[in-house]
Each structure stands twice: as C-alpha cells, then as structure tokens.
Amino acid sequence: MCGRFANTLPSDAMAQLFDAAPANTLPHVPNYNVCPTTDIHVIYRTDDHRRLVPMRWGFVPKWYKAPNDGPLLINARAETLADKPVFREACRVRRCLIPADGFYEWHRPEAGDKQPWFIQPAGEGPMVFAGIWQDWQQDGQRLSTCAMVTTEAQGRMAEIHHRIPVMVRPEHWAKWLGEEGHGAATLMCAAPDEALRFHRVSRAINSNRALGPELIEELDE
C-alpha cells in the first residue's frame, strides 16, 4: 500500500497543468510528508470542467456514522474496485487524479528493520495517481474524501513492496476522469521499471511529524 507521498508543485502550477479551476482552500505546498487523513490536492471533473480541490486522504463510505467509524480506506485495490460495494459506485462515476512528486514505501529485508524508499518518475513532470472520491455527510458535518487506486507491483518495485499506486500518464488523464467515455479500467496497471526511479531515504520519514526536503534525499550508505 502507499501510505505517504511528497507533493511540492505549487497550487497555481497544478491548476495550469491540469487545466482545472482551483479552490481557495488548497493544502500547503511544498509538503514532503503527506500523511493519511490530511487534505491533499485532487483533480476531478464536474459540470463540464475540471476542479482542483482539497480532499481528505481516507475514503469515508456514506454509511459511516463518523469518519473514524470503520477501517481507514486510503487505498483501493484495482482488482476488486468495481465489485466492492464500498468503492463500486465511485469507480464508475467519481474518479480523480492525485498529483505528487513521488511516494514512500518500506522494504523489510530478511534481517534488520524496515528501510524506506522514495519512488519517483524517471522523466519530467509529476507522478499522477489514479483515485476515487466520495462526499460524506452526517449530522451537518460534510467531508470530501478520496482513496488511491493500487495494483500488484511488477519488476524492481515488487522487490520493495508487493503493491504500487496506479499512475496515470498525461495522455490518459481525460479517460480516467471520464471525459472520453469508457475504458478507464484498462489504465489500472503497474508502471514499468523504466518509468520509475528508486532510492533509499532516511528513516526520519517514519515519523508523521517529519518535515523538509531532506526526507526525499538519497541515503548515503
């Protein structure tokens, strides 16, 4: 699963890149340690245009009586996305894009503690995750929430962790957002090794209070 990522692209640059109208309450960037349950930048389509908005990272089903009424759903498995009642409607009509610089994953060697890695695009531009979103409302409280779509890792990524976020290339953004009809299911596959760069980072990222660009720097050991 993906449980942390980094996002440093300025909000106005994100709005321009995705041709999306930005909300006035977007999260602070840069953020080198984006954690679950915090607000993140999300692009979705409504009323024939794209919007860049904040959403809570942690999908809240409509039947939850409170945001913490059940498991924290930060990831949704591509293999069961269309079948699980909790995600089924969202995967059909409420898909979104989640921009990032890269994400963190932890590998446990045969001996020793877990080692964090930072995975980022091999080329230019941001890493864009496939997501789904859900508005939740109870007793006057309202939240816009989302989850990342993940799939089975391949190649070198599988040596670090068995799951990987689904990444959407620029030419497929419109299809994932539902702007080009059907076919979004064909996009839910793992990125090849050549599309990614991997390096080890400090265990400082283990703390959800850790801050600063040093979190994504390559470990010199």
Side-chain angles (χ1 to χ4, degrees), residues 80-141:
T80 57
L81 192 62
D83 300 319
K84 280 197 169 185
V86 66
F87 298 132
R88 187 166 53 210
E89 182 184 4
C91 88
R92 290 199 307 268
V93 297
R94 290 191 302 276
R95 297 188 298 271
C96 60
L97 300 170
I98 302 170
D101 289 55
F103 67 96
Y104 302 93
E105 198 52 85
W106 282 257
H107 169 65
R108 185 187 293 278
E110 292 184 5
D113 297 330
K114 285 185 177 181
Q115 173 63 52
W117 289 70
F118 188 64
I119 299 95
Q120 61 191 126
E124 297 293 329
M127 179 176 279
V128 180
F129 304 128
I132 54 174
W133 65 276
Q134 169 76 61
D135 276 343
W136 174 88
Q137 188 168 352
Q138 288 284 345
D139 300 325
Q141 185 181 8

Side-chain angles (χ1 to χ4, degrees), residues 135-213:
D135 276 343
W136 174 88
Q137 188 168 352
Q138 288 284 345
D139 300 325
Q141 185 181 8
R142 186 178 183 275
L143 288 174
S144 292
T145 71
C146 65
M148 287 183 192
V149 180
T150 67
T151 191
E152 185 175 353
Q154 305 292 330
R156 187 179 177 193
M157 183 66 212
E159 298 174 7
I160 299 172
H161 195 270
H162 66 286
R163 303 294 296 177
I164 187 173
V166 171
M167 298 163 209
V168 186
R169 298 196 302 271
E171 63 268 28
H172 295 148
W173 291 348
K175 179 173 285 188
W176 183 256
L177 291 175
E179 298 169 353
E180 294 182 350
H182 302 292
T186 63
L187 306 179
M188 293 192 290
C189 53
D193 277 355
E194 58 267 24
L196 303 172
R197 287 189 288 154
F198 310 78
H199 64 259
R200 295 171 61 200
V201 294
S202 165
R203 289 190 175 92
I205 190 61
N206 292 347
S207 169
N208 59 12
R209 296 184 178 88
L211 300 170

Side-chain angles (χ1 to χ4, degrees), residues 49-60:
H49 68 274
R50 295 178 184 177
R51 297 189 63 203
L52 174 64
V53 300
M55 288 192 183
R56 176 190 188 266
W57 183 19
F59 190 96
V60 181

Side-chain angles (χ1 to χ4, degrees), residues 38-53:
T38 61
D39 281 353
I40 63 174
H41 290 78
V42 170
I43 299 94
Y44 77 108
R45 185 170 184 83
T46 182
D47 299 329
D48 296 325
H49 68 274
R50 295 178 184 177
R51 297 189 63 203
L52 174 64
V53 300

